[in-house]
Amino acid sequence: MSSTVPAPFEALFAGSSEGDRAAVDLLCRLVDASSDVLLEVNGRRVPLPANLRTLLQRAVDHLRRGDDIRRSLGRAPARTLLQPVVHLGTAQVAGYEALSDLSTRDLQGADSWFRDAAVLGLGEEFELVLLTLALEELQTLPDDVYLSVNVSPHTATSPHLRELLRDVDATRIVLELTEHMPVEDYVALNVALKRLRRRGIRVAVDDAGAGFSSLNHILLIRPEIVKLDVSLIRDVDTDLARRSLVSGLCHFTAEIGADCVAEGVETDAQARTLRELGVTYGQGWHLGPPRRRRNRRAVAALKGSTQGPR
């Protein structure tokens, strides 16, 4: 008799063999059984050890997450929120960072989704779906501001990313390299980034100052934008050591021709201190929380109404 895969695994195992489906069905039965599961070992029936049951539970949880990610690829898996990047001297918005809001889907937050997707071999596909949603927001923004989108180093080397960005105004796009997974090949990454930069796309690196590895990352990437880690900005207005470090990093970014953005600006005192230290841009709840832009249909209608007769 054929086994049926429980509903949570239908998407993940679409097109899989009957044997794969039966194996998953057995895993579910073993994990979900309320009574002890007996195994036959050398002709004797013994209970399933607790540690083995725990491992099986982790395996099932892993499969369930993979199926949830796979299902999300066929629809909008997240809301796109935009947080402003503000010039600290003029208070003008220079750009917006697109953030994927996955909070309604998982209390663990976006980081766990990206990590799990990468482990399951769905990382690039999942990122491209979120990038597609984020790029749709570009038309809602003023023409003189940029849109910063997060992308992993692996996806940055993908030809699918270049295809996705083909018809976008490249001069208004910033690729912010995330560090959910480590960079495996800096040579390949820089070759890919060089192609994108030829079109006018800029590169940003975040978490600067979080450790030696982040500084080495900057030296190897040579980004156009360096984002200072939130740990440096916290108490920067009262902590002399943090002030000195931020000042040094600000000077460093200027020397390599990059713009400096302070992340996690939460108070007016922090903003004033950063401005005094020479930090040009800031991002954080004090300067503007992540928000949904107004409805795209309304924006399209407004733009259409402002156009004169053809």
Side-chain angles (χ1 to χ4, degrees):
M1 185 173 72
S2 62
S3 300
T4 59
V5 179
F9 300 107
E10 289 175 354
L12 186 62
F13 282 86
S16 298
S17 68
E18 193 65 28
D20 290 338
R21 292 171 176 269
V24 173
D25 185 47
L26 177 60
L27 269 179
C28 291
R29 292 176 190 277
L30 288 173
V31 169
D32 296 336
S34 58
S35 58
D36 286 340
V37 177
L38 299 179
L39 298 178
E40 187 169 326
V41 180
N42 296 328
R44 296 174 52 201
R45 303 189 107 191
V46 298
L48 182 68
N51 58 345
L52 180 55
R53 190 164 188 161
T54 299
L55 288 175
L56 291 176
Q57 179 66 65
R58 291 176 181 171
V60 169
D61 291 344
H62 193 63
L63 289 170
R64 283 179 177 147
R65 172 55 66 90
D67 189 73
D68 202 9
I69 292 172
R70 174 64 72 182
R71 284 172 179 272
S72 73
L73 299 180
R75 59 183 186 274
R79 298 185 308 155
T80 300
L81 305 180
L82 299 179
Q83 185 170 35
V85 177
V86 177
H87 191 286
L88 295 177
T90 65
Q92 295 296 310
V93 174
Y96 287 88
E97 180 182 357
L99 303 169
S100 297
D101 179 16
L102 293 155
S103 60
T104 58
R105 304 181 59 82
D106 192 329
L107 295 177
Q108 298 181 59
D111 284 349
S112 67
W113 274 79
F114 284 107
R115 283 194 301 268
D116 291 345
V119 169
L120 291 162
L122 301 173
E124 180 181 327
E125 192 173 359
F126 186 57
E127 280 189 64
L128 291 174
V129 169
L130 297 179
L131 277 170
T132 301
L133 295 173
L135 290 172
E136 290 177 0
E137 300 294 332
L138 188 61
Q139 63 182 313
T140 74
L141 303 179
D143 293 339
D144 59 345
V145 305
Y146 67 80
L147 178 68
S148 179
V149 294
N150 290 279
V151 60
S152 70
H154 172 76
T155 300
T157 64
S158 169
H160 299 297
L161 176 64
R162 294 198 299 275
E163 180 66 22
L164 182 63
L165 297 172
R166 185 181 60 181
D167 298 323
V168 176
D169 182 356
T171 61
R172 297 180 61 202
I173 296 296
V174 171
L175 292 184
E176 188 167 327
L177 295 180
T178 63
E179 296 188 44
H180 301 297
M181 301 294 285
V183 178
E184 297 179 354
D185 188 343
Y186 274 102
V187 173
L189 176 59
N190 278 313
V191 168
L193 293 179
K194 185 176 181 179
R195 293 196 192 100
L196 295 168
R197 280 167 162 149
R198 285 197 195 109
R199 295 190 51 217
I201 291 174
R202 288 175 289 168
V203 176
V205 168
D206 64 1
D207 298 333
F212 173 77
S213 60
S214 71
L215 296 179
N216 190 51
H217 188 59
I218 293 171
L219 291 174
L220 293 171
I221 297 295
R222 299 299 172 94
E224 286 76 24
I225 298 174
V226 174
K227 305 186 77 172
L228 302 184
D229 187 67
V230 63
S231 65
L232 297 180
I233 308 308
R234 190 181 301 116
D235 299 325
V236 70
D237 53 315
T238 58
D239 188 327
L240 179 60
R242 280 186 168 85
R243 287 172 60 94
S244 298
L245 187 51
V246 168
S247 177
L249 287 172
C250 185
H251 178 73
F252 164 71
T253 57
E255 286 291 305
I256 65 172
D259 288 326
C260 186
V261 179
E263 292 189 287
V265 181
E266 305 297 336
T267 67
D268 186 57
Q270 290 174 352
R272 287 199 310 270
T273 300
L274 291 166
R275 186 168 61 247
E276 292 168 0
L277 293 174
V279 178
T280 308
Y281 300 97
Q283 182 180 348
W285 279 75
H286 173 68
L287 302 171
R291 287 196 179 104
R292 288 277 286 175
R293 293 288 291 182
R294 57 183 170 168
N295 185 277
R296 284 191 292 274
R297 291 182 180 177
V299 172
L302 180 61
K303 288 184 176 180
S305 67
T306 57
Q307 291 178 349
R310 294 176 182 270

